[in-house]
Amino acid sequence: NPDVVQIDNIWVDARIADATEKFLAAAQAINPAEHLISGYRSVDYQTTLYAQYVDQEMAADPSLDREAAEKKVQTYSQPPTKSEHQTGLAIDLSDVDSLNESTTAEQVAAIAPDYGFVLRFPEGGAASTGVDHEDWHFRYVGVANAKYMTEHHLTLEDYLKLLDKKWPHFMSMSPENYGRMVVSHVSLKV
């Protein structure tokens, strides 16, 4: 588990607390209704949340079996041990508590790189991320990485592939280690 701190009743990795506070303040300057919805989630909490989503999908469409419901859920939520929220490096930030209904999402996403965040699941990115567009899910990757990724319209998966080309065997590192490398990486010239 990461070393976490609380910001506005949401937990985040302590390493990104300052960036999160500044990003939140900048988002609130755009729209005072912007607020943190989610941050760090334990495996236990993600297990409960994921199961609730699966049950909701099955209740909404009785023709779905569990496997089909899980596949549908994985377009917007990840199973336990697969969610970025468990790293403490992901936050959900919006002016509303409904996915893809924000009135200021584009403006907030535009300033995110200045604070080291990227919109993790952009429109058109599902082919590489496996997750449909989410206007509120931001991932901390560091300012230089975030600016590069945004300028070049790269998802994190695409960016990691570029890093692997620059540093062979990069992707064979454990996710925990390449996550640390991405967070601490200062500049990339590809």
Side-chain angles (χ1 to χ4, degrees), residues 2-190:
D3 178 23
V4 294
V5 296
Q6 196 171 23
I7 300 171
D8 288 352
N9 297 318
I10 299 297
W11 296 93
V12 300
D13 186 304
R15 297 173 295 172
I16 70 164
D18 186 54
T20 302
E21 288 175 332
K22 288 176 180 173
F23 180 32
L24 175 61
Q28 289 172 335
I30 293 169
N31 181 343
E34 290 288 339
H35 61 283
L36 293 171
I37 297 166
S38 185
Y40 168 74
R41 295 181 194 150
S42 68
V43 173
D44 288 343
Y45 180 75
Q46 187 67 24
T47 300
T48 301
L49 187 63
Y50 183 79
Q52 287 174 348
Y53 288 149
V54 170
D55 290 344
Q56 287 170 2
E57 291 295 345
M58 291 174 69
D61 182 353
S63 71
L64 294 177
D65 63 12
R66 181 156 297 279
E67 185 177 332
E70 286 183 1
K71 187 173 181 178
K72 187 171 184 180
V73 167
Q74 288 174 20
T75 66
Y76 61 86
S77 184
Q78 298 306 301
T81 74
K82 304 293 183 199
S83 171
E84 286 188 331
H85 285 285
Q86 290 166 216
T87 68
L89 301 174
I91 58 170
D92 293 341
L93 173 71
S94 183
D95 61 334
V96 293
D97 289 341
S98 299
L99 181 62
N100 298 332
E101 294 185 19
S102 172
T103 60
T104 50
E106 287 183 27
Q107 293 165 282
V108 172
I111 66 165
D114 295 335
Y115 303 94
F117 289 89
V118 291
L119 182 64
R120 182 64 178 91
F121 305 114
E123 286 191 56
S128 70
T129 65
V131 177
D132 289 339
H133 173 64
E134 292 188 9
D135 68 351
W136 66 18
H137 187 91
F138 294 90
R139 170 68 151 75
Y140 185 83
V141 294
V143 173
N145 296 314
K147 287 184 176 188
Y148 186 92
M149 290 170 64
T150 302
E151 179 182 329
H152 293 88
H153 308 285
L154 298 171
T155 64
L156 183 56
E157 287 77 8
D158 295 335
Y159 187 59
L160 292 175
K161 286 177 188 172
L162 275 179
L163 292 177
D164 196 43
K165 285 180 185 175
K166 185 167 177 80
W167 295 293
H169 310 293
F170 178 78
M171 293 299 288
S172 64
M173 297 171 71
S174 72
E176 181 179 289
N177 288 335
Y178 73 66
R180 282 192 192 113
M181 185 172 181
V182 170
V183 167
S184 64
H185 181 66
V186 178
S187 70
L188 172 70
K189 302 214 186 304
V190 221

